[in-house]
Amino acid sequence: MQTTREDLEAMLARTATGDRAAFEALYRATSVKLFGIIFRILRQREAGEEILQEVYVRIWNHAGTFEPGRASPITWMAAIARNRALDEARRQVPQFADGVDLAEIADEAPSAADRLEQ
């Protein structure tokens, strides 16, 4: 049985009230998708599982802030998962001895499209 947007909205609303059964149902309905998002970013199963746990803690703590008119529930949860995975990926990027962050250098480097325009 496929979970609908309305089902997810109801699960989030009940989770916001502390309903553990609703949260468990929400986890069962969405964890595979959210783990896939996290794994595509991190490419590490163990780290991905830890981040997934953190994502669901955030969902539990912030379910009451979900606004159905702004996004679908899965989009809202996917954004939490993606942002947390990106934070972890940035944290894992090694730094040069003088403290220069490789992620900052990568962000500042011109892209292939930028180079073609020059």
Side-chain angles (χ1 to χ4, degrees), residues 37-84:
I37 292 167
I38 293 164
F39 185 77
R40 277 192 299 269
I41 294 168
L42 296 178
R43 300 279 184 209
Q44 299 172 11
R45 183 169 191 80
E46 187 174 313
E49 290 169 351
E50 290 178 23
I51 297 303
L52 183 66
Q53 181 177 350
E54 291 177 24
V55 165
Y56 278 99
V57 168
R58 287 183 187 194
I59 291 169
W60 173 262
N61 289 329
H62 299 284
T65 66
F66 171 69
E67 297 177 35
R70 294 192 65 191
S72 74
I74 197 64
T75 300
W76 182 74
M77 292 184 290
I80 293 170
R82 179 184 172 276
N83 291 340
R84 183 59 193 94

Side-chain angles (χ1 to χ4, degrees), residues 2 6 17 41 57 72-73 75-76 90 92 103-104 108 111 117:
Q2 185 170 342
E6 291 77 21
T17 67
I41 294 168
V57 168
S72 74
T75 300
W76 182 74
R90 288 183 193 110
Q92 292 178 4
E104 289 177 19
E108 294 171 5
S111 69
E117 290 177 3

Side-chain angles (χ1 to χ4, degrees), residues 101-115 118:
D101 187 341
L102 292 176
E104 289 177 19
I105 293 171
D107 289 341
E108 294 171 5
S111 69
D114 292 337
R115 290 191 300 269
Q118 294 177 352

